[in-house]
Amino acid sequence: MKIRVGMGYDVHQLVEGRDLWMGGIKIEHSKGLLGHSDADVLLHAVCDALLGAANMRDIGYHFPDTAAETDGMDSKVILKKTIDLIATKGYRLGNIDATICAERPKMNPYIPQMKACMAQICGCDEDDISIKATTTEKLGFTGREEGISAYAVVLIERT
């Protein structure tokens, strides 16, 4: 069995007038993330990790922020298309380990819903998805609540 590992990172600015999407679910908050798509940093980091593990470039290559068809795109669609892309090279998801960096809102209450949503999209068990949340102790852009970032590491395996 051949396995490969990939790492992904994403960050988006918090702004008023946008919905906050994280891990494929809508979270109630006074601000949302600014981006060409719905700006779900967790799903974007996971997609970059998957694409990197399969040596298929990055999310911006496949889903450019200059394309009309990706304007306002639901990141759940991007994740599903990414799973399908790695399958064209004979890979499937092994597991995901991800971390969300946000001062507010607190993400921990939403993690079970995020895991369920992502597992359904990826066609895997919820146990194959680990999501953690942390703050930056009020340091940097995250601490000032100017944005949210996410990191992801994935393992993929040859089918």
Side-chain angles (χ1 to χ4, degrees):
M1 169 175 53
K2 180 167 182 155
I3 60 172
R4 294 176 68 124
V5 176
M7 187 266 182
Y9 170 77
D10 195 39
V11 61
H12 282 278
Q13 181 182 4
L14 277 167
V15 296
E16 305 226 354
R18 294 268 302 196
D19 290 331
L20 178 58
W21 288 91
M22 191 67 57
I25 65 163
K26 186 177 174 183
I27 296 176
E28 290 302 318
H29 191 53
S30 60
K31 294 181 180 180
L33 294 170
L34 181 63
H36 186 69
S37 67
D38 64 10
D40 186 324
V41 293
L42 177 57
L43 295 190
H44 293 184
V46 168
C47 289
D48 260 350
L50 287 164
L51 291 166
N55 193 19
M56 297 181 79
R57 302 196 54 172
D58 60 36
I59 192 173
Y61 178 79
H62 294 278
F63 308 97
D65 65 4
T66 55
E69 60 270 14
T70 58
D71 188 20
M73 184 178 261
D74 184 332
S75 293
K76 293 185 291 294
V77 172
I78 295 172
L79 178 58
K80 176 60 177 140
K81 288 183 178 203
T82 301
I83 291 290
D84 293 345
L85 277 169
I86 69 166
T88 67
K89 287 188 76 174
Y91 290 105
R92 68 175 180 185
L93 174 67
N95 72 296
I96 297 169
D97 184 23
T99 302
I100 304 164
C101 300
E103 204 66 36
R104 284 185 326 118
K106 295 298 182 192
M107 297 290 164
N108 277 319
Y110 302 99
I111 288 175
Q113 291 172 268
M114 291 181 207
K115 288 177 61 168
C117 178
M118 292 170 63
Q120 191 273 327
I121 295 164
C122 294
C124 68
D125 292 335
E126 287 182 39
D127 195 48
D128 295 331
I129 300 173
S130 169
I131 302 170
K132 302 164 309 288
T134 190
T135 69
T136 58
E137 301 294 332
K138 303 200 183 300
L139 298 173
F141 72 87
T142 304
R144 292 186 300 272
E145 298 181 39
E146 296 170 358
I148 296 176
S149 63
Y151 298 85
V153 175
V154 302
L155 178 102
I156 61 174
E157 54 195 8
R158 184 80 66 186
T159 54

